[in-house]
Amino acid sequence: GQNIDQPTEMTATEGAIVQINCTYQTSGFNGLFWYQQHAGEAPTFLSYNVLDGLEEKGRFSSFLSRSKGYSYLLLKELQMKDSASYLCAVRERGGGSYIPTFGRGTSLIVHP
Amino acid sequence: DGGITQSPKYLFRKEGQNVTLSCEQNLNHDAMYWYRQDPGQGLRLIYYSQIVNDFQKGDIAEGYSVSREKKESFPLTVTSAQKNPTAFYLCASHLGAGTEAFFGQGTRLTVV
């Protein structure tokens, strides 16, 4: 089984940088995903980490430390449209299913 | 264009009725799955299928049923045994290990 923990809510100012943390416990780590979800819509894929280190994609970056069971999503140059829920999901090895388990999500509010 | 389609977007059910939510994908993905999302909650796994004619229970399968007669289709039936069915239902698929999940636009089910 897995235990995934992320903050419930964060606020930040337009143009600033925000870091959303995710910690997890798993018996067989097989990858970590970050998704963005606007209210009433489906989650959309942001990033995937399976090895330690930083993955950068434009304004968004994601970091993973497998030994610490820790990841963060970094959002730079925040825009109002970045107000959304950010979901951390961990994929576990075993059983061949590769179905990810999701955290509760972090609601990010960007204000002017 | 390839994608995953859920229908309907909104569904109202009377107490005691069964309803079926549709999920179709043309991405040629083997794995398909259903999540339920309640306000302020993460995604909880209902059922998943890795191959045609095979499916497995997720964490909250009670009161739900599925079928996988075709690779493209994975319908979810919410039965009258599900005591609290009002929620946002998301269908997803992925190609295999190390690949991200693609989500449908979701179905919001309300019991009236």
Side-chain angles (χ1 to χ4, degrees):
Chain A
Q2 299 176 48
N3 186 22
I4 301 170
D5 194 36
Q6 22 177 161
T8 303
E9 187 175 293
M10 299 181 72
T11 59
T13 305
E14 193 175 16
I17 299 173
V18 71
Q19 177 175 312
I20 303 174
N21 296 325
C22 172
T23 58
Y24 64 89
Q25 295 172 317
T26 179
S27 53
F29 178 81
N30 194 248
L32 187 144
F33 299 82
W34 283 97
Y35 288 85
Q36 179 192 62
Q37 186 181 25
H38 285 99
E41 297 181 9
T44 55
F45 170 74
L46 291 177
S47 68
Y48 170 64
N49 295 72
V50 66
L51 300 176
D52 291 352
L54 187 69
E55 295 281 340
E56 295 186 81
K57 249 190 205 181
R59 294 191 298 116
F60 293 2
S61 304
S62 58
F63 172 82
L64 175 68
S65 169
R66 289 172 295 170
S67 62
K68 296 181 179 177
Y70 168 69
S71 173
Y72 68 72
L73 180 70
L74 193 71
L75 292 76
K76 304 175 188 175
E77 300 169 17
L78 279 172
Q79 302 175 9
M80 299 297 289
K81 67 178 182 179
D82 296 329
S83 293
S85 184
Y86 291 85
L87 307 174
C88 173
V90 174
R91 183 169 282 166
E92 191 172 56
R93 206 180 303 119
S97 69
Y98 301 106
I99 305 297
T101 298
F102 284 80
R104 290 175 174 247
T106 298
S107 178
L108 174 65
I109 301 168
V110 180
H111 55 83
Chain B
D1 287 336
I4 182 165
T5 303
Q6 288 185 241
S7 62
K9 189 169 182 179
Y10 299 96
L11 186 58
F12 296 89
R13 190 195 92 169
K14 291 183 181 178
E15 285 196 33
Q17 279 185 337
N18 292 356
V19 289
T20 298
L21 283 59
S22 170
C23 179
E24 303 277 331
Q25 55 99 358
N26 60 2
L27 300 166
N28 201 33
H29 288 174
D30 286 314
M32 295 185 73
Y33 31 106
W34 279 100
Y35 289 100
R36 168 182 172 141
Q37 187 175 35
D38 294 284
Q41 302 287 320
L43 278 63
R44 292 185 290 166
L45 185 65
I46 304 173
Y47 266 99
Y48 66 94
S49 168
Q50 299 177 78
I51 196 168
V52 174
N53 292 323
D54 184 61
F55 47 83
Q56 306 294 329
K57 291 182 179 180
D59 301 318
I60 56 165
E62 186 175 349
Y64 300 97
S65 66
V66 292
S67 62
R68 187 86 186 274
E69 296 176 3
K70 299 186 299 181
K71 188 175 186 178
E72 303 78 19
S73 179
F74 191 43
L76 173 75
T77 297
V78 184
T79 75
S80 56
Q82 170 48 239
K83 297 306 177 190
N84 187 22
T86 295
F88 188 49
Y89 290 87
L90 286 159
C91 179
S93 69
H94 77 259
L95 186 58
T99 63
E100 73 272 24
F102 290 81
F103 284 85
Q105 70 269 38
T107 294
R108 187 166 299 281
L109 173 63
T110 304
V111 173
V112 296

